[in-house]
Every structure is written in structure tokens, then in C-alpha cells.
């Protein structure tokens, strides 16, 4: 049998070759403005990506709303379209997915290499179409995020899984069978893949040491609306009773809790006031408590959060990243930027990714005083940062540099902002509306 790179991908490359961008955009930010105003929060990238994979399970078309317009979302759409799945964008934030047109269960390297979340399609393809070829994924270089837990989960449900020349090949004769999955570590993507695979499996699947993140709950809620039988989402033990068929539905992507936290951090960073709308305060308990500890005023409503720093300098805080509901690793870089200009010294312990301090040298280039020892960073606050040319190293690091630039004296030029375009929709437009002096340049 030919491998996917030989059998499937050549016709795709002939018409859809991925072209390199010879003119990489940069962000030019003049700091010193106090940000003030309302910002509308987009749908969550980390929720939308598994929802697109979950749509593969439907026997009828499925409509997703509140879909953010981001590089990673567009990559996932291209992956599904390459498989032959019909994708129709009916409005700015609405996408209709019809998986019944699928012609080849292949996620090619040239698309997958830019985004680790592409592994999400594995469970859906195997349980619905009995076979999948998915390239081993790429994405941010923030540390090891092994897919072995994903593969272990599929094998526990009866799939045969091999890795051939950089591709995961999974297949099953007949239906997957319910089973017991115990994850060696808490894995959001692995939990989501296991849930999707179990929905159409024969019998009951019990997932132990499951991730509790809101994005896992959002996926489960959509699958339940499609007809799945899932209990325990949001806890560390999830039970899935397999059904014979799932049907399409209309489903809105949940608000982006990391985008919410990032814009609220901009208020703390600049001594300003920002109200994030179309969001959910319940998603950000650990983050909001740290804003309070920094000296900010925090008020909330049903679908909004307001943070007001009232012109004050924030106080440094200590924190440790850990799986939900603890402090999220995706907010670590943003809080490090705040600590860099805060009063006092803050200690940060990163327990999720081993390489997630790559923004430290760039912040230090701007005058920050940060020392790293293994998984711990000690941040001694300075009175002011200074604008400088810096380079984004990953998605959340790029936002930490934006925050630092907003508070710095002078101009900051941020390179490699394709990272920020993966996770923040219209970032310069939203920040400009809040009073930032920011523009995109070639």
C-alpha cells in the first residue's frame, strides 16, 4: 500500500501548494498610552479547532457560529477541505461543515506542520470512517507535547495504530469498542480525541485523569447536542456511552478565555480600564484573582468583565501554572510582562511546558529584570521598559511583547507576528480602539 505522501498528496500540492510569505508583517507600537474602552471577545481558537474535528462525526451538515478568523482556524478548514469535506462560510463568523463528501482521510504534512491541533481529526476519522492518515503535528516550539497519549487512547478502543514515515496510520475493522482509558498525564487534546473516538464506539468508555478545561466541556456540549451520551465533562472522569449515529446541529463556539485575559492584562499593564464583552467570567477565576492581587478593581456581569487599574502601578505576584482550574499556562507570558513593570518581585513556576520562557530574553532586551532557573523565573519589577526591536517566539509570547510595548517608552518593533495571528483576531484593530498606538508594517 502506498503511503499518504505517495497516494494522496500530489494532486493537492499541484493546486494548493503552501507558499512561503516573503514579506513577513511586523507590529510597530508606540508605548505610553493608557488604554480605556470596551473590547468584544472572539470565539475561542482552542475550542473551535476540536469542534471542527467533531463535525466529522455528523451524518448531516453541522453549523458552527462565533468562529474566529484566525490562521489556525483557516488551516483546520484547509485540512478538512483537502479531505474532500464540504466547507461553506456563510457569514463572517459562521461555517457549515458537511463531512459526507469526504474522499480521503488524510491530513497532510504541509498543512499539519504549522499546527499541533490538527491531530484532533484522528479520533473522529477512525470512529466514523474506520481509517486515518494524519501527519505528526507541528506548531509553537514551546516544548514537548507528545501524541503518544492520543495513540494510546485509540488503541484502548481497539484501533490498530502505527507510525509510518512521519504519519500516524490508525484503522479499525468494524466499530471501535468501548474501553477504559487512563492518561499518564493530563492532556487536553488527548482527552478531546478520546471523547470523539468513543462517541460512535460500541459500548461504554471510561476516561480517567481527563482534562477539565472549558474547551473540553465545550466539545462535549456540542457532541451531546449532536446526540452523544457523555457524562462528567469538566471533571477528571468522563463516561461516554457509544451511539450508532450523530447528526449535525447549530453550535456557537465558547468565548476565548485567553484572549479575554490578555486584553484585561493590557488594562493592568497601562494603568487603564478595559471591559471585555461577549465573554464568560466563570472561565477565568484564577486569572481574575491574580488581577485583584495586583491591585486592580475587577467587576463582572453575565457576559462581561471589567478591570480598572485607576492609573496605579501593579503589585508583583507569584504564581504556578497547572491544568485547569489552576492558573493557565497560556496566561503565563502575559503576567510575566506585567510583573516586569510591577512594584516588587514575582516568582513564576511553569509546570506545563519546559520551553515556555523563550520570551524572557526579548523582555530583557526592553529593560526587564528577569532571571530563569529551570522551570522558575524571578521577575524584579522596573519602573519603565524601553522600546526595542524584538522577536516573537510563540503565540502567547507574542502577546507578552505587545503588552510590554504598550507600557514601554518609545517605539517597539515586533517581528514574526504570524504567531499572534494564529490566536488573536484583528489584534491591532482591537487595541487601536482601546487607545493604543499600534500599526502593522511590512
Amino acid at each position: 500500500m502506498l503511503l499518504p505522501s505517495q497516494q494522496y498528496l500530489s494532486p493537492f500540492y499541484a493546486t494548493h501548494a503552501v507558499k512561503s510569505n516573503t514579506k513577513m508583517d511586523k507590529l510597530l507600537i508606540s508605548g505610553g498610552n493608557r488604554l480605556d474602552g470596551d473590547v468584544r471577545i472572539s470565539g475561542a481558537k482552542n475550542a473551535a479547532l476540536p469542534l471542527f474535528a467533531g463535525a466529522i462525526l455528523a451524518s448531516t451538515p453541522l453549523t458552527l457560529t462565533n468562529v474566529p478568523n484566525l490562521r489556525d482556524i483557516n488551516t483546520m478548514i484547509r485540512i478538512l477541505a483537502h479531505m474532500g469535506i464540504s466547507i461553506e462560510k456563510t457569514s463572517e463568523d459562521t461555517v457549515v461543515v458537511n463531512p459526507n463528501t469526504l474522499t480521503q482521510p488524510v491530513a497532510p504534512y504541509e498543512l499539519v506542520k504549522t499546527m499541533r491541533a490538527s491531530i484532533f481529526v484522528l479520533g473522529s476519522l477512525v470512529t466514523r470512517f474506520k481509517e486515518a492518515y494524519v501527519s505528526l503535528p507541528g506548531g509553537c516550539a514551546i516544548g514537548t507535547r507528545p501524541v503518544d497519549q492520543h495513540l494510546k487512547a485509540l488503541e484502548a478502543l481497539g484501533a490498530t495504530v502505527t507510525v509510518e514515515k512521519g504519519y500516524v496510520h490508525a484503522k479499525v475493522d468494524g466499530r471501535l469498542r468501548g474501553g477504559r482509558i487512563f492518561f499518564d498525564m493530563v492532556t487536553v487534546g488527548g482527552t478531546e480525541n478520546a471523547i470523539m473516538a468513543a462517541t460512535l464506539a460500541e459500548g461504554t468508555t471510561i476516561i480517567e485523569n481527563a482534562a477539565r478545561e472549558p474547551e473540553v466541556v465545550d466539545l462535549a456540549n456540542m457532541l451531546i447536542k449532536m446526540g452523544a451520551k457523555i457524562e462528567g465533562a469538566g471533571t477528571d472522569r468522563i463516561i461516554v456511552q457509544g451511539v450508532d449515529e450523530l447528526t449535525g446541529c447549530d453550535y456557537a463556539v465558547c468565548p476565548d478565555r485567553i484572549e479575554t485575559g490578555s486584553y484585561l492584562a493590557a488594562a493592568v499593564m497601562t494603568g487603564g480600564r478595559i471591559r471585555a464583552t461577549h465573554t464568560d467570567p466563570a472561565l477565568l477565576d484564577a486569572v481574575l484573582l491574580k488581577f485583584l492581587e495586583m491591585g486592580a478593581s475587577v467587576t463582572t456581569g453575565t457576559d462581561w468583565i471589567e478591570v480598572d487599574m485607576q492609573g496605579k502601578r501593579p503589585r508583583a505576584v507569584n504564581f504556578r501554572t497547572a491544568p485547569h482550574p489552576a492558573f493557565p499556562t497560556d496566561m503565563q507570558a502575559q503576567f510575566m510582562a506585567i510583573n516586569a513593570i510591577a512594584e516588587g518581585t514575582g516568582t513564576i513556576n511553569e509546570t506545563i511546558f519546559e520551553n515556555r520562557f523563550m520570551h524572557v530574553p526579548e523582555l530583557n532586551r526592553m529593560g526587564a529584570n528577569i532571571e530563569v532557573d529551570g522551570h522558575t523565573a524571578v521577575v524584579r519589577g522596573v519602573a519603565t521598559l524601553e522600546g526595542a526591536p524584538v522577536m516573537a517566539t510563540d503565540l502567547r509570547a507574542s502577546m507578552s511583547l505587545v503588552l510590554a510595548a504598550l507600557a514601554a517608552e518609545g517605539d517597539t518593533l515586533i517581528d514574526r507576528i504570524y504567531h499572534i495571528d494564529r490566536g488573536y483576531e484583528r489584534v491591532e484593530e482591537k487595541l487601536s480602539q482601546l487607545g493604543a498606538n499600534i500599526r502593522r508594517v511590512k
Side-chain angles (χ1 to χ4, degrees):
M1 182 179 66
L2 294 176
L3 289 174
S5 57
Q6 301 167 301
Q7 183 177 3
Y8 295 117
L9 304 188
S10 296
F12 174 77
Y13 290 140
T15 55
H16 297 87
V18 178
K19 298 179 180 179
S20 61
N21 184 4
T22 57
K23 292 185 178 180
M24 290 187 181
D25 290 353
K26 309 175 193 290
L27 284 178
L28 179 62
I29 300 173
S30 298
N33 292 359
R34 178 179 180 273
L35 300 194
D36 188 281
D38 293 1
V39 59
R40 179 176 179 135
I41 299 304
S42 302
K45 171 186 80 89
N46 289 342
L49 292 172
L51 295 183
F52 272 103
I56 295 173
L57 297 166
S59 61
T60 57
L62 180 144
T63 301
L64 287 176
T65 59
N66 200 34
V67 177
N69 183 14
L70 299 167
R71 284 173 60 103
D72 278 7
I73 298 297
N74 293 331
T75 298
M76 179 62 86
I77 288 173
R78 292 179 67 197
I79 290 172
L80 298 185
H82 168 66
M83 296 177 186
I85 293 173
S86 174
I87 305 284
E88 182 183 3
K89 191 169 185 177
T90 58
S91 71
E92 183 178 349
D93 69 346
T94 302
V95 180
V96 178
V97 182
N98 181 5
N100 293 319
T101 59
L102 183 138
T103 56
Q104 52 186 18
V106 179
Y109 171 73
E110 278 302 308
L111 292 174
V112 170
K113 68 179 181 180
T114 66
M115 184 183 68
R116 290 180 182 269
S118 49
I119 196 72
F120 289 144
V121 301
L122 193 61
S124 294
L125 287 173
V126 173
T127 196
R128 171 108 198 269
F129 295 100
K130 313 309 177 190
E131 189 169 24
Y133 286 96
V134 179
S135 173
L136 291 171
C140 287
I142 58 175
T144 303
R145 291 193 276 188
V147 300
D148 63 312
Q149 299 298 300
H150 300 247
L151 310 189
K152 173 183 173 182
L154 291 179
E155 288 175 334
L157 300 182
T160 300
V161 183
T162 57
V163 178
E164 308 170 16
K165 297 187 177 180
Y167 278 79
V168 176
H169 178 205
K171 64 179 180 178
V172 63
D173 294 327
R175 291 176 67 180
L176 292 175
R177 301 183 306 275
R180 184 172 181 266
I181 299 168
F182 186 92
F183 287 115
D184 298 329
M185 63 186 74
V186 176
T187 162
V188 176
T191 300
E192 291 167 333
N193 241 330
I195 291 172
M196 287 186 277
T199 56
L200 296 176
E202 184 177 2
T204 301
T205 298
I206 299 175
I207 304 170
E208 305 276 8
N209 198 27
R212 301 165 61 186
E213 270 68 9
E215 295 78 17
V216 174
V217 177
D218 205 41
L219 173 63
N221 288 340
M222 185 189 79
L223 294 173
I224 290 169
K225 194 171 183 181
M226 294 165 63
K229 296 180 179 179
I230 303 170
E231 297 177 358
T235 75
D236 60 3
R237 187 173 191 265
I238 299 174
I239 301 174
V240 184
Q241 179 67 47
V243 297
D244 293 332
E245 183 183 44
L246 297 177
T247 56
C249 65
D250 292 352
Y251 193 79
V253 180
C254 72
D256 193 322
R257 60 192 173 105
I258 305 303
E259 186 193 29
T260 301
S262 298
Y263 282 108
L264 296 176
V268 179
M269 195 83 191
T270 65
R273 180 206 66 85
I274 292 175
R275 175 177 289 202
T277 67
H278 299 81
T279 189
D280 184 354
L283 302 177
L284 285 159
D285 284 344
V287 171
L288 297 184
L289 288 172
K290 286 299 174 184
F291 285 144
L292 287 169
E293 192 177 333
M294 286 179 155
S297 170
V298 179
T299 53
T300 63
T302 304
D303 62 352
W304 58 269
I305 308 168
E306 181 175 293
V307 169
D308 190 348
M309 209 53 210
Q310 301 172 345
K312 298 179 296 184
R313 184 182 179 187
R315 296 190 294 266
V317 296
N318 305 320
F319 63 91
R320 176 179 183 270
T321 66
H324 190 79
F327 193 93
T329 181
D330 279 355
M331 285 298 301
Q332 176 257 107
Q334 298 90 312
F335 269 74
M336 181 181 284
I338 300 175
N339 269 353
I341 59 148
E343 183 178 355
T345 299
T347 300
I348 300 170
N349 186 233
E350 172 61 58
T351 72
I352 307 298
F353 295 120
E354 68 273 18
N355 292 336
R356 205 158 204 178
F357 285 148
M358 292 189 294
H359 44 282
V360 170
E362 303 304 300
L363 290 172
N364 283 343
R365 281 175 54 81
M366 300 178 69
N369 183 352
I370 306 170
E371 296 180 359
V372 174
D373 183 7
H375 296 285
T376 302
V378 177
V379 187
R380 297 175 175 86
V382 299
T384 58
L385 297 174
E386 297 180 355
V390 292
M391 183 179 298
T393 54
D394 62 70
L395 171 54
R396 305 307 171 185
S398 63
M399 180 52 81
S400 76
L401 298 180
V402 168
L403 293 174
L406 292 171
E409 293 182 350
D411 294 344
T412 299
L413 188 65
I414 305 176
D415 201 355
R416 292 189 179 177
I417 63 164
Y418 57 84
H419 286 296
I420 206 166
D421 290 335
R422 290 183 48 233
Y424 292 90
E425 185 178 30
R426 306 190 312 275
V427 63
E428 68 271 28
E429 178 185 327
K430 291 186 178 184
L431 285 172
S432 294
Q433 291 172 353
L434 296 170
N437 187 342
I438 177 174
R439 62 188 177 95
R440 187 174 295 242
V441 299
K442 293 294 184 183

